[in-house]
Amino acid sequence: MRILLVEDDAMNVELFEAALETDGHEIVTERDGAAGEERASDQFDLVLLDIQLPKKDGLAASVLPEEIARAKSAGFDEFLSKPISAQDLRDAVRRLGPTQHQANGL
């Protein structure tokens, strides 16, 4: 799966890449919201977007229940708050990624 990761924290980038590359995913990383928005016009199966980013944030939100609801109403399919375990990240990517039928063009 080709994944766009938009994350400004270097340690989080390293952790996310390590967790996802072990499952064979191709990770493309951008470090700020403006660059992530521009890169998102490329073909990706999934976009992992940090909420609080330099230059342009993903959504001014926190982990409060009303903010999670606001993120989902803005079109987010999933909301994971940091710190995120490698297993939780991999599980979310599996849930949200294309199905086998989509991947095979069926």
Side-chain angles (χ1 to χ4, degrees):
M1 185 180 327
R2 189 162 190 251
I3 300 171
L4 173 60
L5 171 61
V6 186
E7 170 64 63
D8 61 321
D9 183 275
M11 182 174 281
N12 285 334
V13 168
E14 188 175 320
L15 292 170
F16 291 0
E17 287 177 343
L20 296 172
E21 287 174 346
T22 60
D23 284 350
H25 301 295
E26 175 190 353
I27 311 300
V28 175
T29 303
E30 292 296 344
R31 299 297 181 119
D32 66 64
E37 181 179 42
E38 185 175 322
R39 181 60 75 96
S41 64
D42 294 349
Q43 181 65 37
F44 289 98
D45 300 304
L46 185 66
V47 176
L48 299 174
L49 176 66
D50 186 10
I51 296 298
Q52 297 175 349
L53 292 163
K55 297 188 182 176
K56 188 171 197 177
D57 68 7
L59 176 68
S62 64
V63 295
L64 299 173
E66 59 270 15
E67 297 301 336
I68 294 170
R70 191 167 74 117
K72 293 215 174 189
S73 71
F76 287 76
D77 293 314
E78 185 84 26
F79 190 105
L80 301 174
S81 61
K82 295 176 192 167
I84 302 168
S85 74
Q87 187 61 52
D88 287 345
L89 180 61
R90 285 191 294 267
D91 290 345
V93 167
R94 284 186 198 109
R95 277 194 311 277
L96 298 169
T99 65
Q100 270 310 103
H101 294 294
Q102 291 171 322
N104 293 329
L106 301 175

